Amino acid sequence: MHGIFWELLVPAAFAVLGCVFLSGHGAGLIAGYNTMRRTEREKYDERALCRFMGWLMLYIAVCTALFCADGLWPGKGLSLVGRIWLPIGIVCAIIYANTGGRFQKNR
C-alpha cells in the first residue's frame, strides 16, 4: 500500500501541473521562458505556450500512470506501452514546439 501511494503521486503531480498550465498560469515554471528578459517574453504568446505545456503534462501523467497500472495488473504490458509512448510524445512535442513559430505573437 505504501508503494502505491508514491507511484500514484507522480502522475497526480503531472496532472495537477497540467491543469495549472491549461488554466493559463504557471509560465514562470517553464524552463527557458522564465529566464528570458521581459522584452523577449513579450514576443511570445504566454497563454498558448501554457496551454501547450498543460497538454504535454497531461500526456506525461497518462504515460506515468501506465507505469503504475502495470504494478496493479502485472503481465498486461502497460508499463511497456507507457515506456514506448512517453519518448515518442516528448520528441513530437519538441518538434511541434520548435517549428513554425507557433508561440510567437507576431507571425
Side-chain angles (χ1 to χ4, degrees):
M1 182 68 177
H2 204 62
I4 293 173
F5 170 75
W6 290 108
E7 287 181 358
L8 294 178
L9 184 67
V10 173
F14 278 115
V16 167
L17 190 57
C19 291
V20 168
F21 282 135
L22 281 175
S23 70
H25 299 88
L29 299 173
I30 300 173
Y33 183 77
N34 63 354
T35 58
M36 288 182 186
R37 294 186 181 128
R38 185 174 306 269
T39 56
E40 286 292 316
R41 276 189 254 162
E42 291 172 356
K43 296 177 183 176
Y44 291 92
D45 185 0
E46 184 176 307
R47 183 157 172 80
L49 183 61
C50 283
R51 289 188 51 79
F52 169 74
M53 289 302 297
W55 285 113
L56 180 61
M57 291 296 118
L58 290 178
Y59 179 82
I60 293 172
V62 169
C63 289
T64 55
L66 287 172
F67 301 160
C68 300
D70 192 61
L72 295 173
W73 299 289
K76 304 285 187 200
L78 296 174
S79 180
L80 181 62
V81 171
R83 291 178 198 272
I84 290 171
W85 282 104
L86 183 63
I88 290 172
I90 290 174
V91 168
C92 291
I94 290 170
I95 292 170
Y96 178 82
N98 289 309
T99 56
R102 290 176 173 80
F103 305 116
Q104 294 177 354
K105 284 186 179 176
N106 301 324
R107 288 197 286 178

